[in-house]
């Protein structure tokens, strides 16, 4: 593998939902990395799993709720978590908090086009069905979780 360098000033960004911004860093066969910043109340990523990749999270600021299997864990700045293939997960800023997160996948797989698709859906240029149709291409398979769907309700006053 050769050196990979992405400069902050030239990194591509994608707004994939209200209050959510993804900065694309690297997308090789070995490694896909990005940063994600979430404003308070942002929806984050819905419940999903990957069949081939481990996804890992390093919280750089704020607090992040992460569903792993059927358990919700709250990560603080400095915390790290890796989710192996086949395990359903989701993530969003903890109630009342923002979050900044370094996110990676190993192996990588050309996932940047998936993030761009999310941006096009947010901009009204593509549909949720386009995302569903891309599941096999980007190894992003959606699932359900009563624990995650009840998370926001339990956080409300």
């Amino acid at each position: 593998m050769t050196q990979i360098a992405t400069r902050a000033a030239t990194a591509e960004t994608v707004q994939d939902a209200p209050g959510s911004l993804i900065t694309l860093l690297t997308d090789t066969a070995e490694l896909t990395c990005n940063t994600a910043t979430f404003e308070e109340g942002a929806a984050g990523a819905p419940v999903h799993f990957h069949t081939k990749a481990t996804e890992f999270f390093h919280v750089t600021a704020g607090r992040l709720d992460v569903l792993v299997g059927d358990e919700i864990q709250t990560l603080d700045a400095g915390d790290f978590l890796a989710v192996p293939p086949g395990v359903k997960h989701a993530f969003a800023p903890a109630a009342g908090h923002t979050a900044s997160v370094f996110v990676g996948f190993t192996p990588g797989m050309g996932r940047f086009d998936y993030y761009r698709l999310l941006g096009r859906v947010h901009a009204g240029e593509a549909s949720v069905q386009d995302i569903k149709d891309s599941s096999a291409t980007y190894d992003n398979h959606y699932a359900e979780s009563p624990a995650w769907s009840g998370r926001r309700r339990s956080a409300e006053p």
Side-chain angles (χ1 to χ4, degrees):
M1 187 164 108
T2 61
Q3 173 183 308
I4 300 167
T6 303
R7 302 292 182 179
T10 57
E12 180 182 352
T13 59
V14 176
Q15 183 169 8
D16 65 319
S20 176
L21 185 69
I22 300 171
T23 301
L24 308 180
L25 299 174
T26 187
D27 202 19
T28 69
E30 296 85 17
L31 185 65
T32 297
C33 295
N34 64 273
T35 60
T37 56
F38 301 104
E39 294 176 5
E40 185 178 333
V47 180
H48 64 284
F49 64 92
H50 312 288
T51 61
K52 301 175 184 124
T54 294
E55 185 171 7
F56 55 90
F57 307 88
H58 177 248
V59 179
T60 58
R63 297 188 86 193
L64 186 75
D65 282 346
V66 183
L67 172 76
V68 181
D70 292 318
E71 178 187 335
I72 297 173
Q73 301 179 31
T74 300
L75 304 180
D76 292 311
D79 290 350
F80 174 86
L81 175 71
V83 180
V87 177
K88 67 182 176 183
H89 56 284
F91 52 94
H97 293 272
T98 61
S100 296
V101 187
F102 176 81
V103 181
F105 296 85
T106 185
M109 63 166 304
R111 189 175 297 274
F112 280 7
D113 283 340
Y114 172 75
Y115 295 131
R116 291 176 184 123
L117 174 59
L118 293 178
R120 288 195 312 276
V121 170
H122 175 66
E125 301 165 357
S127 71
V128 171
Q129 187 60 50
D130 292 324
I131 293 172
K132 291 177 182 177
D133 292 345
S134 75
S135 289
T137 302
Y138 300 116
D139 190 27
N140 207 67
H141 309 276
Y142 292 96
E144 298 289 328
S145 167
W148 191 253
S149 61
R151 172 183 155 270
R152 289 280 185 205
R153 284 190 298 271
S154 66
E156 294 172 2

